[in-house]
């Protein structure tokens, strides 16, 4: 039996990160960990020329970034609204 190569390890790490992200109660942690998992899947998909895997996960990673930015902006606006 052959050992795992680095591409397979990246694929397994991506799967674990996405699975862990789905157990998060905090939406910010969910998005951050899911972003890491998606990014690893992009690397994995590109490494094995699985372009649908790489493309879909790149899209989901962008969605995670969008929502993280949106959450950060809403948190930075909240103290100003409470002070008024």
């Amino acid at each position: 039996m052959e050992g795992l190569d680095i591409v397979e390890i990246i694929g397994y790490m991506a799967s674990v990160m996405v699975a862990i992200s789905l157990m998060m109660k905090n939406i910010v942690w969910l998005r951050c960990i899911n972003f890491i998992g998606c990014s690893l899947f992009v690397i994995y998909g590109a490494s094995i020329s699985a372009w649908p895997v790489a493309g879909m996960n790149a899209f989901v990673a962008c969605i995670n970034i969008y929502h993280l930015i949106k959450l950060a902006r809403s948190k930075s606006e909240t103290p100003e609204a409470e002070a008024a």
Side-chain angles (χ1 to χ4, degrees), residues 30-43:
L30 183 149
R31 297 256 179 222
C32 288
I33 295 172
N34 192 270
F35 171 75
I36 294 167
C38 289
S39 299
L40 290 170
F41 265 128
V42 170
I43 295 167

Side-chain angles (χ1 to χ4, degrees), residues 11-77:
Y12 285 121
M13 286 178 15
S15 297
V16 168
M17 294 302 287
V18 170
I20 289 171
S21 77
L22 297 175
M23 292 185 272
M24 296 289 114
K25 290 182 181 181
N26 182 310
I27 191 70
V28 173
W29 276 105
L30 183 149
R31 297 256 179 222
C32 288
I33 295 172
N34 192 270
F35 171 75
I36 294 167
C38 289
S39 299
L40 290 170
F41 265 128
V42 170
I43 295 167
Y44 173 74
S47 297
I48 64 168
S49 298
W51 303 115
V53 171
M56 188 275 302
N57 280 284
F59 178 70
V60 174
C62 290
I63 291 171
N64 282 318
I65 290 171
Y66 169 78
H67 284 290
L68 284 168
I69 291 169
K70 191 174 167 182
L71 286 166
R73 286 183 180 164
S74 70
K75 282 186 180 181
S76 67
E77 293 173 3

